């Protein structure tokens, strides 16, 4: 018997060039008078916060800025942001930037509402109820955090990234203005773009909803592959395949920026309901140890995981090749599936994603411990279409080394 699937999103999605100009209307609808803005020093220097200053001031909102955002944010950064929020007592929190800043906004809204500390909410469905209203405005096209139910932080003590999953983390409003990403540097554009592609591919090739192996008594935001997720992932793969190279090479190309912004948001909607899988699990240990960007680490490992998962998802990988623009008409399905991996490898090389783990200064003696850590992340490994052992993961790492 087929299971029942559900779909969740941000409360409202505003999308399009100059969507940020509607921020005053958003504040009025949410009755916000005191707003904590979570961003980082780079965006402050770039002046992106000025884009939202006018609509906020015109709506009479008093703002406080936390500018301590950092790439792959640490639990310490989260603690600092929470402390700023405790002092200011905001009505709502706005995350401006990449997924890192949006994720800091999410955990801050959680702790200010429910108390405790960030570690108390690590894992699946640990947040007991609604959090302070969240508004998320991405300045990159990648994480999908503006619509997702996840926040990812780095535990620097254990040298591993940790995930917090709850539908209560979905923003009240996502404001996706592609013009905010025009100033995004090529490397960040590449890393975030391959991140979005990973989300879409993992959602499209996840375990089927009616076979999702959720143990009795457990709850999760992920539920396995279903038709609505497929629809979103297919469009996301097409958009990213068509626009990512252009966005990296020609940052002022508004059409490419808009295509990537939409692709990333659609991928976020897909994976945050269906689930992410083995690529994410294998990225967390080397990412935590080397502090590479989440996108670069996943982009590096994506084709190796695709090859591992191919026996369980031949037809889906063949479809991915076509979605990425490969001419596979009349080709045997097995060969078309291989073409999908090759297309990802070529895209990865064209935009400058690292090719090998050794390029991140990973050493061979780290591979087995990485594999053991990755296999402990059961909440996302159960989304993978093929069962995974420590030996399997070590083999993936060795192939990628």
């Amino acid at each position: 018997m087929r299971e029942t699937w559900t779909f969740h999103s941000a409360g409202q999605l505003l999308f399009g060039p100059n969507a940020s100009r509607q921020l005053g209307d958003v504040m009025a609808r949410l009755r916000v008078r005191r707003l904590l803005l979570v961003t980082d020093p780079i965006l402050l220097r770039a002046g992106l916060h000025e884009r939202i200053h006018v609509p906020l001031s015109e709506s009479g909102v008093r703002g406080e800025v936390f500018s301590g955002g950092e790439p792959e944010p640490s639990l310490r950064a989260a603690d600092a942001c929470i402390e700023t929020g405790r002092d200011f007592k905001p009505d709502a929190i706005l995350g401006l930037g990449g997924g890192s800043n949006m994720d800091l906004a999410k955990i801050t809204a959680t702790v200010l509402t429910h108390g405790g500390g960030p570690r108390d909410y690590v894992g699946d469905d640990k947040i007991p109820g609604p959090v302070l209203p969240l508004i998320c405005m991405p300045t990159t096209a990648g994480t999908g955090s503006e619509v997702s139910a996840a926040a990812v932080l780095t535990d620097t003590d254990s040298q591993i990234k940790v995930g917090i999953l709850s539908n209560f983390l979905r923003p009240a409003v996502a404001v996706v203005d592609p013009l905010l990403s025009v100033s995004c540097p090529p490397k960040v554009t590449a890393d975030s773009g391959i991140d979005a592609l990973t989300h879409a591919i993992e959602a499209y090739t996840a375990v089927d909803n009616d076979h999702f192996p959720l143990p009795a008594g457990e709850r999760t935001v992920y539920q396995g592959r279903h038709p609505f997720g497929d629809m979103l992932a297919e469009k996301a793969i097409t958009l990213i395949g068509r626009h990512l190279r252009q966005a990296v090479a020609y940052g002022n190309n508004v059409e490419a920026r808009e295509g990537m912004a939409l692709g990333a948001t659609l991928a976020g909607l897909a994976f945050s309901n269906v689930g992410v899988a083995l690529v994410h699990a294998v990225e967390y240990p080397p990412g935590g140890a080397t502090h590479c960007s989440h996108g670069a680490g996943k982009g590096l490992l994506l084709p190796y995981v695709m090859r591992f998962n191919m026996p369980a998802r031949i037809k889906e990988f063949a479809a991915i090749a076509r979605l990425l623009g490969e001419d596979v008409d009349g080709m045997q399905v097995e060969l078309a599936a291989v073409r999908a991996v090759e297309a990802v490898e070529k895209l990865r090389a064209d935009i400058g994603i690292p090719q090998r783990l050794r390029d991140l200064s990973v050493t061979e003696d780290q591979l087995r411990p990485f594999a053991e850590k990755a296999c402990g992340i059961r909440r996302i490994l159960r989304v993978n279409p093929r069962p995974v052992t420590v030996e399997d993961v070590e083999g993936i790492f060795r192939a990628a080394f």
Side-chain angles (χ1 to χ4, degrees), residues 17-323:
N18 294 311
S20 54
R21 292 178 182 173
Q22 298 185 40
L23 203 52
D25 294 336
V26 171
M27 296 296 114
R29 185 173 63 79
L30 296 177
R31 299 181 180 180
V32 175
R33 309 306 299 168
R34 298 170 67 83
L35 180 74
L36 175 62
L37 171 63
V38 179
T39 188
D40 60 61
I42 295 173
L43 293 183
L44 283 184
R45 287 195 297 271
L48 284 186
H49 66 297
E50 296 296 334
R51 297 279 191 93
I52 66 174
H53 176 72
V54 172
L56 288 179
S57 61
E58 287 178 347
S59 62
V61 173
R62 180 185 171 192
E64 177 75 13
V65 177
F66 174 80
S67 60
E70 58 189 20
E72 317 308 316
S74 64
L75 290 167
R76 293 189 186 93
D79 288 334
C81 189
I82 291 163
E83 192 59 35
T84 299
R86 284 198 181 108
D87 292 340
F88 181 63
K89 298 180 174 59
D91 302 318
I93 301 177
L94 191 157
L96 175 69
S100 298
N101 294 346
M102 291 187 279
D103 288 357
L104 280 181
K106 289 179 177 183
I107 189 58
T108 299
T110 300
V111 173
L112 292 184
T113 304
H114 297 293
R119 285 181 173 83
D120 297 326
Y121 303 100
V122 169
D124 227 325
D125 210 28
K126 301 286 183 65
I127 299 175
V131 303
L132 273 177
L134 280 160
I135 303 97
C136 282
M137 298 182 63
T139 61
T140 64
T143 67
S145 192
E146 66 273 10
V147 292
S148 82
V152 178
L153 303 170
T154 299
D155 184 340
T156 52
D157 295 334
S158 301
Q159 289 198 329
I160 194 169
K161 294 174 185 177
V162 295
I164 299 164
L165 296 170
S166 170
N167 279 317
F168 292 120
L169 287 180
R170 295 189 192 270
V173 183
V175 182
V176 184
D177 185 343
L179 297 181
L180 294 180
S181 66
V182 167
S183 61
C184 187
K187 183 183 185 305
V188 179
T189 300
D191 290 357
S192 56
I194 203 77
D195 190 8
L197 182 62
T198 303
H199 291 154
I201 288 176
E202 288 214 284
Y204 195 62
T205 58
V207 65
D208 289 330
N209 171 258
D210 52 341
H211 292 116
F212 185 64
L214 185 65
E218 286 194 30
R219 294 189 299 175
T220 177
V221 302
Y222 295 152
Q223 54 194 298
R225 188 176 176 219
H226 56 66
F228 205 71
D230 281 356
M231 176 186 69
L232 295 163
E234 285 173 347
K235 184 65 173 178
I237 293 167
T238 299
L239 286 166
I240 294 164
R242 182 181 301 157
H243 294 293
L244 180 51
R245 288 180 178 88
Q246 290 291 309
V248 172
Y250 307 103
N252 290 322
N253 185 323
V254 175
E255 180 183 356
R257 292 295 191 182
E258 187 167 353
M260 283 304 303
L262 182 56
T265 297
L266 295 178
L269 290 170
F271 90 79
S272 66
N273 285 276
V274 172
V276 292
L278 183 55
V279 179
H280 280 68
V282 297
E283 191 278 332
Y284 282 164
T290 66
H291 307 292
C292 72
S293 80
H294 198 39
K298 287 190 290 186
L300 187 159
L301 291 161
L302 174 59
Y304 300 101
V305 174
M306 290 174 70
R307 289 188 189 278
F308 174 80
N309 280 333
M310 193 178 298
R313 282 290 183 258
I314 288 285
K315 291 181 180 178
E316 289 76 12
F317 281 121
I320 287 169
R322 185 175 294 106
L323 294 168

Side-chain angles (χ1 to χ4, degrees), residues 377-397:
I377 312 175
R378 303 309 306 174
R379 61 183 173 79
I380 53 180
L381 286 180
R382 62 191 174 202
V383 181
N384 204 60
R386 186 179 173 192
V388 184
T389 66
V390 174
E391 286 69 29
D392 291 331
V393 176
E394 184 178 0
I396 290 169
F397 281 142

